[in-house]
Protein backbone atom coordinates (compact mmCIF):
# COMPACT_ATOMS: atom_id res chain seq x y z
CA UNK A 1 0.00 0.00 0.00
CA UNK A 2 1.23 3.48 -0.85
CA UNK A 3 -0.78 6.65 -0.16
CA UNK A 4 0.89 9.92 -1.13
CA UNK A 5 -0.33 13.48 -0.71
CA UNK A 6 0.96 16.95 -1.56
CA UNK A 7 -0.42 20.15 0.00
CA UNK A 8 2.10 22.96 -0.59
CA UNK A 9 -0.19 25.71 0.73
CA UNK A 10 -0.09 24.21 4.24
CA UNK A 11 3.01 21.99 4.26
CA UNK A 12 5.32 23.57 1.70
CA UNK A 13 7.14 21.48 -0.87
CA UNK A 14 6.63 18.25 1.09
CA UNK A 15 5.32 14.90 -0.10
CA UNK A 16 3.74 12.71 2.56
CA UNK A 17 3.95 8.98 1.86
CA UNK A 18 1.92 6.57 4.04
CA UNK A 19 2.33 2.82 3.83
CA UNK A 20 0.72 1.63 7.07
CA UNK A 21 -1.49 2.83 9.89
CA UNK A 22 -0.03 4.86 12.76
CA UNK A 23 1.13 2.93 15.81
CA UNK A 24 1.17 3.97 19.46
CA UNK A 25 4.96 3.93 19.78
CA UNK A 26 6.44 5.03 16.49
CA UNK A 27 9.77 6.69 15.86
CA UNK A 28 11.12 9.01 13.19
CA UNK A 29 14.61 9.54 11.82
CA UNK A 30 15.68 12.35 9.52
CA UNK A 31 18.59 12.46 7.11
CA UNK A 32 18.73 15.50 4.88
CA UNK A 33 15.33 16.09 3.31
CA UNK A 34 14.00 12.61 4.14
CA UNK A 35 12.17 11.57 7.30
CA UNK A 36 11.38 7.89 7.82
CA UNK A 37 8.68 6.88 10.33
CA UNK A 38 8.77 3.35 11.69
CA UNK A 39 6.80 1.31 14.18
CA UNK A 40 7.24 -1.96 16.03
CA UNK A 41 10.04 -4.20 14.76
CA UNK A 42 11.21 -1.36 12.50
CA UNK A 43 8.07 -1.65 10.34
CA UNK A 44 7.90 1.17 7.81
CA UNK A 45 4.85 3.38 8.40
CA UNK A 46 5.62 6.36 6.20
CA UNK A 47 8.13 8.78 4.73
CA UNK A 48 8.16 12.57 4.46
CA UNK A 49 10.10 14.04 1.54
CA UNK A 50 10.97 17.72 2.00
CA UNK A 51 11.83 19.77 -1.09
CA UNK A 52 10.30 16.96 -3.12
CA UNK A 53 10.32 19.01 -6.33
CA UNK A 54 14.10 18.46 -6.41
CA UNK A 55 13.34 14.74 -6.71
CA UNK A 56 10.17 14.61 -8.82
CA UNK A 57 10.04 18.03 -10.48
CA UNK A 58 6.91 20.16 -10.34
CA UNK A 59 3.83 18.48 -8.87
CA UNK A 60 0.64 20.04 -10.21
CA UNK A 61 -1.81 17.89 -8.24
CA UNK A 62 -3.11 18.82 -4.81
CA UNK A 63 -4.25 16.43 -2.11
CA UNK A 64 -3.77 12.78 -2.91
CA UNK A 65 -1.14 12.22 -5.60
CA UNK A 66 -0.98 9.05 -7.69
CA UNK A 67 2.64 8.28 -8.52
CA UNK A 68 3.99 6.36 -11.47
CA UNK A 69 6.46 3.50 -10.92
CA UNK A 70 9.19 5.79 -12.28
CA UNK A 71 8.36 8.45 -9.68
CA UNK A 72 8.39 5.85 -6.91
CA UNK A 73 11.79 4.68 -8.14
CA UNK A 74 13.09 8.26 -7.82
CA UNK A 75 11.80 8.46 -4.25
CA UNK A 76 13.49 5.15 -3.46
CA UNK A 77 16.74 6.47 -4.88
CA UNK A 78 16.41 9.45 -2.53
CA UNK A 79 15.83 7.09 0.40
CA UNK A 80 18.95 5.12 -0.49
CA UNK A 81 21.03 8.26 -0.98
CA UNK A 82 19.95 9.44 2.50
CA UNK A 83 21.22 6.18 3.99
CA UNK A 84 17.91 4.41 4.57
CA UNK A 85 17.30 0.76 3.70
CA UNK A 86 13.51 1.02 3.50
CA UNK A 87 11.89 1.18 0.09
CA UNK A 88 8.43 2.15 -1.18
CA UNK A 89 6.37 -0.04 -3.48
CA UNK A 90 4.24 1.45 -6.25
CA UNK A 91 0.52 0.78 -5.80
CA UNK A 92 -1.86 1.29 -8.71
CA UNK A 93 -4.75 -0.69 -7.22
CA UNK A 94 -7.99 1.36 -7.32
CA UNK A 95 -9.11 2.33 -3.81
CA UNK A 96 -12.52 3.75 -4.79
CA UNK A 97 -14.46 0.94 -6.45
CA UNK A 98 -18.06 0.35 -7.48
CA UNK A 99 -19.61 -2.40 -5.39
CA UNK A 100 -22.94 -4.22 -5.27
CA UNK A 101 -24.55 -4.96 -1.90
CA UNK A 102 -25.20 -8.70 -2.01
CA UNK A 103 -26.05 -9.22 1.67
CA UNK A 104 -27.62 -6.81 4.14
CA UNK A 105 -28.28 -7.79 7.76
CA UNK A 106 -28.80 -5.90 10.99
CA UNK A 107 -25.81 -5.36 13.27
CA UNK A 108 -26.29 -7.45 16.44
CA UNK A 109 -25.22 -4.58 18.72
CA UNK A 110 -26.73 -1.53 17.04
CA UNK A 111 -30.16 -0.21 16.14
CA UNK A 112 -28.95 1.62 13.02
CA UNK A 113 -25.85 -0.17 11.69
CA UNK A 114 -26.01 -2.93 9.09
CA UNK A 115 -23.47 -5.54 8.05
CA UNK A 116 -23.14 -5.67 4.29
CA UNK A 117 -21.34 -8.01 1.96
CA UNK A 118 -20.21 -6.05 -1.07
CA UNK A 119 -19.29 -7.60 -4.43
CA UNK A 120 -16.32 -5.65 -5.72
CA UNK A 121 -15.97 -7.51 -8.98
CA UNK A 122 -14.63 -11.01 -8.45
CA UNK A 123 -14.29 -10.77 -4.69
CA UNK A 124 -16.47 -9.76 -1.76
CA UNK A 125 -15.70 -7.69 1.33
CA UNK A 126 -17.64 -7.03 4.52
CA UNK A 127 -18.42 -3.38 5.22
CA UNK A 128 -20.43 -2.10 8.17
CA UNK A 129 -22.70 0.76 7.11
CA UNK A 130 -24.90 3.17 9.05
CA UNK A 131 -26.51 5.06 6.16
CA UNK A 132 -30.29 5.26 6.51
CA UNK A 133 -30.87 4.67 2.78
CA UNK A 134 -28.61 1.61 2.41
CA UNK A 135 -30.33 -1.49 1.07
CA UNK A 136 -29.77 -4.86 -0.54
CA UNK A 137 -28.89 -4.83 -4.25
CA UNK A 138 -27.65 -1.26 -4.45
CA UNK A 139 -24.70 -0.24 -6.62
CA UNK A 140 -22.52 1.91 -4.38
CA UNK A 141 -19.10 3.53 -4.06
CA UNK A 142 -16.81 1.62 -1.70
CA UNK A 143 -13.74 3.35 -0.30
CA UNK A 144 -11.31 0.51 0.42
CA UNK A 145 -8.33 0.47 2.79
CA UNK A 146 -5.72 2.82 1.37
CA UNK A 147 -8.28 5.30 0.05
CA UNK A 148 -7.73 8.93 0.95
CA UNK A 149 -11.00 10.82 1.22
CA UNK A 150 -11.21 14.39 -0.15
CA UNK A 151 -11.02 15.72 3.42
CA UNK A 152 -7.71 13.88 3.95
CA UNK A 153 -9.07 11.01 6.02
CA UNK A 154 -7.43 7.67 5.20
CA UNK A 155 -9.54 4.51 5.21
CA UNK A 156 -8.15 1.53 7.13
CA UNK A 157 -9.56 -1.89 8.01
CA UNK A 158 -11.32 -1.69 11.35
CA UNK A 159 -14.35 -2.72 13.35
CA UNK A 160 -17.62 -1.06 14.29
CA UNK A 161 -19.08 -2.24 17.59
CA UNK A 162 -17.15 -5.48 17.40
CA UNK A 163 -17.81 -6.34 13.74
CA UNK A 164 -14.97 -6.21 11.20
CA UNK A 165 -15.34 -3.70 8.40
CA UNK A 166 -13.14 -3.52 5.31
CA UNK A 167 -13.81 -0.01 4.07
CA UNK A 168 -16.70 2.45 3.84
CA UNK A 169 -19.75 2.96 1.64
CA UNK A 170 -19.61 6.61 0.61
CA UNK A 171 -22.09 9.45 0.42
CA UNK A 172 -21.92 12.16 -2.23
CA UNK A 173 -20.94 14.62 0.50
CA UNK A 174 -18.06 12.43 1.69
CA UNK A 175 -16.86 12.24 -1.92
CA UNK A 176 -17.03 16.06 -2.11
CA UNK A 177 -19.20 15.99 -5.21
CA UNK A 178 -20.55 19.37 -6.36
CA UNK A 179 -24.05 20.16 -5.03
CA UNK A 180 -24.02 16.99 -2.94
CA UNK A 181 -27.02 16.55 -0.64
CA UNK A 182 -26.11 17.43 2.94
CA UNK A 183 -28.40 14.87 4.54
CA UNK A 184 -27.05 11.46 5.53
CA UNK A 185 -27.16 8.70 2.96
CA UNK A 186 -24.85 6.83 0.61
CA UNK A 187 -24.60 7.62 -3.09
CA UNK A 188 -26.62 5.02 -5.02
CA UNK A 189 -25.51 4.52 -8.62
CA UNK A 190 -27.37 3.08 -11.64
CA UNK A 191 -27.45 -0.71 -11.91
CA UNK A 192 -25.62 -0.42 -15.23
CA UNK A 193 -22.35 0.41 -13.44
CA UNK A 194 -20.62 -2.94 -12.97
CA UNK A 195 -19.10 -4.14 -9.73
CA UNK A 196 -15.33 -3.73 -9.69
CA UNK A 197 -15.35 -0.63 -11.90
CA UNK A 198 -12.95 2.01 -10.55
CA UNK A 199 -14.90 5.01 -9.30
CA UNK A 200 -14.76 8.04 -11.60
CA UNK A 201 -15.28 11.32 -9.70
CA UNK A 202 -16.18 13.27 -12.86
CA UNK A 203 -18.80 10.78 -14.04
CA UNK A 204 -20.32 10.60 -10.58
CA UNK A 205 -20.56 14.40 -10.43
CA UNK A 206 -22.34 14.41 -13.80
CA UNK A 207 -24.74 11.69 -12.62
CA UNK A 208 -25.57 13.64 -9.47
CA UNK A 209 -26.16 16.84 -11.44
CA UNK A 210 -28.59 15.01 -13.74
CA UNK A 211 -30.72 13.64 -10.90
Amino acid sequence: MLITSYNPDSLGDTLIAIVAQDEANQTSKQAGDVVVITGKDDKLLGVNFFNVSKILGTIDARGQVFLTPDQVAKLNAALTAAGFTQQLEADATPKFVIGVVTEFVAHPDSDHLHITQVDLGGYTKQIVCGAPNAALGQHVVAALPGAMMPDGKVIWPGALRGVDSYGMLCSARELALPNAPQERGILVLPDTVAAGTPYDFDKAAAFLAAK
Side-chain angles (χ1 to χ4, degrees):
M1 183 181 299
L2 177 60
I3 309 160
T4 48
S5 63
Y6 185 70
N7 295 286
D9 293 338
S10 56
L11 297 176
D13 188 24
T14 301
L15 183 78
I16 307 296
I18 303 169
V19 299
Q21 198 166 7
D22 285 343
E23 296 184 4
N25 298 306
Q26 57 191 45
T27 60
S28 61
K29 182 178 180 181
Q30 181 170 356
D33 286 336
V34 180
V35 178
V36 168
I37 301 99
T38 55
K40 185 178 179 181
D41 298 325
D42 206 33
K43 175 184 177 182
L44 180 63
L45 303 179
V47 185
N48 297 338
F49 295 92
F50 301 127
N51 299 309
V52 71
S53 61
K54 294 181 179 179
I55 304 171
L56 300 181
T58 301
I59 299 175
D60 294 325
R62 297 296 182 267
Q64 186 169 15
V65 177
F66 299 94
L67 301 179
T68 66
D70 180 62
Q71 289 174 313
V72 174
K74 291 179 179 178
L75 295 177
N76 283 333
L79 276 164
T80 300
F84 294 107
T85 59
Q86 293 90 344
Q87 295 281 275
L88 303 173
E89 294 184 11
D91 182 5
T93 306
K95 299 300 187 297
F96 292 92
V97 179
I98 305 305
V100 178
V101 179
T102 58
E103 187 174 318
F104 187 81
V105 299
H107 191 294
D109 190 33
S110 171
D111 61 0
H112 71 283
L113 295 175
H114 289 85
I115 304 169
T116 72
Q117 301 297 325
V118 183
D119 175 12
L120 296 166
Y123 69 102
T124 298
K125 288 295 181 181
Q126 178 170 285
I127 298 177
V128 178
C129 179
N133 66 327
L136 182 68
Q138 290 174 331
H139 290 232
V140 296
V141 181
L144 305 178
M148 177 176 283
M149 304 301 293
D151 65 0
K153 176 184 177 182
V154 176
I155 302 300
W156 301 105
L160 288 174
R161 302 195 71 144
V163 175
D164 291 340
S165 184
Y166 188 85
M168 180 177 76
L169 303 186
C170 302
S171 70
R173 180 177 60 182
E174 289 165 331
L175 295 168
L177 295 179
N179 302 314
Q182 294 306 298
E183 64 267 18
R184 296 178 62 239
I186 57 174
L187 177 65
V188 180
L189 298 174
D191 293 350
T192 53
V193 185
T197 304
Y199 169 72
D200 187 310
F201 278 80
D202 293 335
K203 287 183 179 179
F207 165 72
L208 188 63
K211 291 185 67 174

